[in-house]
Amino acid sequence: MSLVRETAAAEPLSPRLGGPTFTLRHRLLRIGWRLSWLALARWTPSPMHGWRRALLKLWGARLAASARVYPDVVIWWPAHLVMETHASLGPGVTCYNVGEIRLGAFAIVSQRAHLCSGTHDCHDPDFPLRSLPIEIGANAWIAAEAFVGPGVTVAEGAVLGARGVAMRNLSAWTVHAGNPASPMRERRRHPSNAGAQA
């Protein structure tokens, strides 16, 4: 399904001029999604992961049976979300998945972190929206209130420290921190998590 609106010549072509970025159909579907989450999931107790998984899957998310999504997570569009075995989106996470966001096995995104797969082309006078996928590798950890930007790959076992900002790829089994995030030290691999797969 094409998300970006196709416009007639008489309509404003640029969102800067009031034209919508997405098709009317997709905008209505997203309203339906948000209302469904608010009515059926947002209020649920934290342990009800199975119920929230079922709702997300109904809307097109691809989730392993052990994936965990907390009730106050904000997910822009479920069909762009992939979560493998024991992957977790913690309380208050914002998952702005205009492009696909994929969490590998045992990947953890902690409270109030922000995954942002959308940006704008600031060199184009129409300022169009661009989507670039995000991949969080197996055993990676995005700590509290950290930000992962469009197109970033967080490699297997990598850590982004609390309130860190990742606008470039993060190296495997390395702890990164700061804004912009930079490598601080290697992360010890444990036999129980090295090479975990979905």
Side-chain angles (χ1 to χ4, degrees):
M1 170 175 57
S2 175
L3 301 182
V4 178
R5 181 184 65 103
E6 295 179 11
T7 58
E11 296 177 343
L13 298 178
S14 168
R16 293 179 67 212
L17 300 176
T21 301
F22 300 96
T23 62
L24 176 61
R25 179 175 183 272
H26 192 262
R27 284 178 281 151
L28 292 173
L29 283 170
R30 281 201 336 270
I31 290 171
W33 154 243
R34 290 298 300 143
L35 291 174
S36 295
W37 186 259
L38 288 171
L40 301 173
R42 178 65 179 81
W43 56 270
T44 56
S46 291
M48 291 182 65
H49 295 295
W51 174 259
R52 292 186 295 274
R53 273 194 306 271
L55 181 60
L56 282 160
K57 289 170 85 170
L58 184 67
W59 282 88
R62 288 159 286 164
L63 307 179
S66 56
R68 296 182 309 279
V69 177
Y70 283 79
D72 56 350
V73 169
V74 176
I75 297 168
W76 187 83
W77 185 235
H80 291 174
L81 178 62
V82 180
M83 296 177 68
E84 297 180 5
T85 306
H86 295 290
S88 175
L89 291 175
V93 166
T94 296
C95 184
Y96 183 56
N97 54 344
V98 177
E100 183 176 272
I101 293 180
R102 178 181 294 269
L103 278 71
F106 295 91
I108 298 170
V109 181
S110 289
Q111 61 269 26
R112 295 181 302 282
H114 192 136
L115 309 178
C116 179
S117 67
T119 186
H120 290 270
D121 185 349
C122 63
H123 302 290
D124 186 322
D126 288 330
F127 204 55
L129 181 67
R130 300 286 186 236
S131 65
L132 297 165
I134 291 173
E135 182 159 358
I136 311 295
N139 296 301
W141 176 29
I142 309 302
E145 299 184 356
F147 180 91
V148 179
V152 170
T153 295
V154 178
E156 180 181 359
V159 174
L160 177 60
R163 296 197 172 180
V165 176
M167 298 304 291
R168 295 183 179 167
N169 295 345
L170 301 186
S171 304
W173 296 102
T174 303
V175 177
H176 305 77
N179 179 8
S182 58
M184 306 296 288
R185 60 185 178 277
E186 289 188 3
R187 180 186 182 192
R188 184 181 304 120
R189 303 185 194 210
H190 297 283
S192 62
N193 63 17
Q197 298 297 318

